[in-house]
């Protein structure tokens, strides 16, 4: 499904695969160990995994006063890839706190958040109803977090800066085309709102439209069909006819919202994986958050985290290992006997993990 993106990986045979594990908060601590177990069970499909446990998140912040220790960033630079759980970011402003995942994406220049959303077909040979990938720009848009509160005569006024650059739009565009090239339908839909935000979204749209014509691309993407859709109608059509979409490329905020919405189409956030990818590093991360409502109950669905591990492997070029994981996960979902409560089942995280390990 995906072509290899990470240039430094998989070109040379390696003895071991060093993976940083950052469970962070809440159910991150329950699902990342499950993904680790699955990687360990792959045997000779991947180089022997070597795990490095690393800290980040709200809990560390409350203890140490920082959410992303320098040691974590430095250690990751020595790793071949990483898995991140979820952080519990407070909705109110807390002095000194900023989300470590947003920071990590910046520090490691993980400019693409790639989120495949796929339904499991009733029979292995059938086409899934939903089979799309949201390619979300990961470094700018409103997430540059330049917010200001001022007091005016008529009350408080809040402003945020939204940054869209040609450089970031071009590289996310290339990523989207590259992914589309590796998929049967070869279609890219640009998501924007340039009817209203003609300057920022206009630049995003125009830059991505121009990607196939870039001289360095050399006609490589000529077979990819390019479409575009205003974000609100994209959400509408996503619910009405999800089968029309293949690869959607979007600025940061739209991409975030669209992929959570798309998760509803396949049953649960607990199923949807992602990777944060740059040119040299890839970090798997389930799309869901830390789920405080079910934390500690042992019922978190580990499949999103497990699929995120598979997606990480795919970007590293270990397709056979990734395929094995995805097949095992699909089988468990299709059989429907061992499922966590978010999917209507009664099983525990551990039981779902055991079922996946058995199918491997
Ligand atoms: P959430 O994704 O944590 O939970 C939404 C709903 O889905 C909850 O009912 C939860 O129980 C359920 N759910 C999510 N993942 C599940 C899984 N694996 N198995 C079973 N059920 C699952 O989003 P919410 O509640 O909006 O946010 C909770 C916290 O997570 C907040 O502090 C938020 O800031 C943080 N968050 C972190 C993200 C990240 O680390 N990338 C992403 C989204 C939210
Ligand atoms: Mg989200």
């Amino acid at each position: 499904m995906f072509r290899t993106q990470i240039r430094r990986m998989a070109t040379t045979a390696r003895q071991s695969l060093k993976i940083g594990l950052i469970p962070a908060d809440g159910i991150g601590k329950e699902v990342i160990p499950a993904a680790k177990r699955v990687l360990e069970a792959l045997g000779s499909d991947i180089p022997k995994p070597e795990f490095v446990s690393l800290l980040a998140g709200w809990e560390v912040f409350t203890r140490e006063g920082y959410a992303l220790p320098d040691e974590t960033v430095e250690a990751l630079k020595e790793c071949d890839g990483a898995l991140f759980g979820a952080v519990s970011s407070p909705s109110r402003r807390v002095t000194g706190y900023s989300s470590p995942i947003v920071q990590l994406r910046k520090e490691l220049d993980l400019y693409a958040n790639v989120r495949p959303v796929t339904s499991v077909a009733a029979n292995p040979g059938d086409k899934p109803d939903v089979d799309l990938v949201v390619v979300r720009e990961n470094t700018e848009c409103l997430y540059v977090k330049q917010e200001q509160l001022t007091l005016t005569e008529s009350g408080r006024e809040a402003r945020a800066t939204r940054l869209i650059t040609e450089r970031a739009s071009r590289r996310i565009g290339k990523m989207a085309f590259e992914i589309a090239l590796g998929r049967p339908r070869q279609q890219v839909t640009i998501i924007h709102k340039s009817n209203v935000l003609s300057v920022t979204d206009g630049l995003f749209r125009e830059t991505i439209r121009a990607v196939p014509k870039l001289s360095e691309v050399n006609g490589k993407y000529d077979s990819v069909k390019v479409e575009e859709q205003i974000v609100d109608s994209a959400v509408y059509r996503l619910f009405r006819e999800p089968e029309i979409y293949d690869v959607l490329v979007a600025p940061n905020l739209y991409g975030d919202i669209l992929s959570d919405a798309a998760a509803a189409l396949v049953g649960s956030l607990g199923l949807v994986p992602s990777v944060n990818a740059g040119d040299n590093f890839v970090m798997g991360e389930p799309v869901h958050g830390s789920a405080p409502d079910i934390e500690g109950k042992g019922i978190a669905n580990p499949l999103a985290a497990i699929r995120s591990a598979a997606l990480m492997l795919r970007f590293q070029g270990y397709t056979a290992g990734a395929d094995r994981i995805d097949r095992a996960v699909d089988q468990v979902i299709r059989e429907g006997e061992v499922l966590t409560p978010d999917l209507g089942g009664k099983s525990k995280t551990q039981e779902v993990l055991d079922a996946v390990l058995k199918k491997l």
Side-chain angles (χ1 to χ4, degrees), residues 8 17-24 32 35-36 39 49-55 71-73 75-85 104 108 281-285 309 312 316:
R8 85 160 198 225
L17 197 60
K18 200 165 173 186
I19 307 291
L21 296 181
I22 315 158
I32 293 301
K36 171 180 183 242
L39 287 174
E50 211 183 280
F51 298 99
V52 190
S53 295
L54 301 168
L55 294 174
E71 302 90 78
T72 296
V73 179
L76 284 176
K77 289 180 180 161
E78 303 297 312
C79 289
D80 299 311
L83 292 177
F84 189 94
L104 265 180
L108 301 170
F281 197 78
V282 58
M283 181 166 75
E285 181 200 0
M312 174 194 74
Q316 292 169 330

Side-chain angles (χ1 to χ4, degrees), residues 103-121:
Q103 237 174 302
L104 265 180
R105 288 167 182 162
K106 241 183 231 145
E107 292 268 356
L108 301 170
D109 202 22
L110 305 176
Y111 61 83
N113 195 233
V114 180
R115 302 177 159 193
V117 182
T118 312
S119 58
V120 175

